[in-house]
Each structure stands twice: as structure tokens, then as C-alpha cells.
Amino acid sequence: MFQDRVEAGRRLAAKLAGYADRDDVLVLAIPRGGVAVAFEVAQALRAPLDILLVRKLGAPGQRELAMGAIASGGVRVLNRQVVDELGITEKQLAETVAVQEAELERRERLYRGARPGVSVQGKVVILVDDGIATGSSMLAAIDALRTLHPKKIVVAVPVASFHADQEMNRAADDFVSVLRPESFFAIGEFYGNFAQMEDSEVQALLERAAHSLAVARQQQKKGVA
């Protein structure tokens, strides 16, 4: 049980201590809740923090069935088996992609502002959320991230279901969690405070992370000099 996402992030960071102070490590958060957890991880590891926005492409008429996903950086992953089996036309696919791309771009502008995205190529990427229930969103994030050629993908969450544990160990290069309960109904049951994060909170944490990293690097340069 975690008091809130801050405590969860700090406890998760302790399990990731081996990645601290490395130039090749990047922490990526899945908004919104994942940002609060990832902020604590990035601070503890003294690593850059960025976001990976993922939007599921729901099949026409069956929105819960994913026919693919899009993610930050112009990434698009399609499940051709689902597309072909359902007879989804190129027009239907294009319309769905356009709607989700518009929402993803809106959130990118909202959360990141003028800050450019961080390149993941050749990096050890620690992909963080506040928990994993079914794992579908995280799997889409992993698939999208693979196309950007990171050196290693480490999925890290405070709590994950048994099913998700198996899926993440298969899909990611490494999987780290604080809790892996046998009985799992919802992520929120493992938090004392699991209130939804507001967009303004996400923006503030990303700005704080960028500022603290800039200050740390400046101090490091002075120390070397």
C-alpha cells in the first residue's frame, strides 16, 4: 500500500538505484498519473524526464479492441491481423488515426510546451506508470518505443497484476515493480490517495524536472572546472 504517487515513486526509485548517474538513462512517463511517479524516479536517479503519450486506435464499432496505437514522436503501430480480420478499410483507419493524432498533438503541446522531445535512440529508457492492470496501454507504449531504437527498455511501476507481470517480462528488456499482488482488482486499491492528476500538475512537474536537471548539470560543470 502506498500513501500516494510520491511515496510510490520513491519506493520504486530505490529498486532502480543501479541506473543512477548514468548519461545513457532517460525516464519516460506515461501521463497523467505516471508523471508523478516518474518525477520521483528521475530525481533520485538524476536523469532526464520526458513523457511518452500513447493513444490506442480503437477498431470502428469496437472501441475497446485495439487495432494499433500511436505515440509521441510520430510513431504508429498497427495490428494488421485485427485490421484484416475485421475488414477495416484504409478510410476508416485514416479517420481513426486522424482523430487520435489530433488529441495526441494537443496533449503534447499542453504538457511539453516549447520544450523539444528527448531522443531515445541508443538510450536505456525507464518507462514509468503508476501501475499496470491489464497491460494493454503499456504494451502499446513498448511497441511504439521499439521503433525509436532505444538500447534497452525497462518497464517500472509501483504495482502490477500477476497477468501484467508475465506480459511485461515477455515484452520489455527488464521489468521492475514494488508490489506484485496475487489478488488485484484495480490500481487505485493500492494507494491511499489515487486522485486523478490535473493537466496543470503534469506541466508543473515536467517544468520542475527540466529546471532541476539543468541546475544539477551546471553545478557538475562548475565542479569539473
Side-chain angles (χ1 to χ4, degrees):
M1 187 77 175
F2 307 106
Q3 180 180 342
D4 52 22
R5 292 183 179 92
V6 172
E7 184 201 349
R10 290 172 181 170
R11 288 174 62 181
L12 181 60
K15 286 184 165 285
L16 296 163
Y19 293 102
D21 297 312
R22 286 178 48 170
D23 292 336
D24 62 343
V25 170
L26 169 65
V27 178
L28 283 186
I30 297 180
R32 298 175 183 155
V35 176
V37 178
F39 176 81
E40 299 300 328
V41 171
Q43 292 292 102
L45 302 185
R46 291 168 291 282
L49 172 65
D50 203 354
I51 53 173
L52 180 67
L53 283 163
V54 179
R55 300 291 297 174
K56 182 175 70 176
L57 300 175
Q62 301 183 53
R63 297 299 179 188
E64 292 305 309
L65 176 61
M67 60 178 178
I70 60 172
S72 303
V75 174
R76 184 170 79 171
V77 178
L78 290 180
N79 185 328
R80 274 292 166 189
Q81 182 178 350
V82 172
V83 171
D84 293 341
E85 285 182 355
L86 296 181
I88 296 167
T89 66
E90 288 300 318
K91 181 182 178 182
Q92 289 175 310
L93 181 58
E95 288 173 348
T96 302
V97 169
V99 169
Q100 295 305 326
E101 280 183 342
E103 177 59 17
L104 188 145
E105 289 169 5
R106 183 192 73 81
R107 293 192 183 196
E108 285 272 9
R109 290 192 300 271
L110 181 65
Y111 295 152
R112 183 174 284 121
R115 292 187 304 275
V118 180
S119 173
V120 306
Q121 186 170 352
K123 297 287 183 69
V124 174
V125 177
I126 301 177
L127 191 55
V128 179
D129 206 349
D130 53 14
I132 304 177
T134 65
S136 58
S137 294
M138 186 61 81
L139 289 173
I142 294 169
D143 286 344
L145 198 52
R146 290 282 183 206
T147 69
L148 299 176
H149 309 296
K151 179 165 62 178
K152 180 179 182 180
I153 298 176
V154 180
V155 171
V157 294
V159 59
S161 67
F162 178 74
H163 170 75
D165 173 82
Q166 294 178 311
E167 289 292 316
M168 293 307 115
N169 277 307
R170 176 185 61 79
D173 299 310
D174 193 11
F175 177 53
V176 177
S177 68
V178 179
L179 302 178
R180 300 186 193 185
E182 293 184 10
S183 177
F184 191 106
F185 296 101
I187 296 170
E189 70 179 303
F190 300 98
Y191 286 84
N193 178 3
F194 196 64
Q196 178 174 295
M197 288 187 68
E198 299 296 331
D199 289 333
S200 58
E201 294 178 272
V202 172
Q203 291 170 300
L205 285 177
L206 292 174
E207 289 171 4
R208 281 178 59 194
H211 176 72
S212 63
L213 185 65
V215 170
R217 286 180 172 173
Q218 189 64 34
Q219 291 174 339
Q220 187 179 41
K221 286 181 181 179
K222 289 181 180 179
V224 171

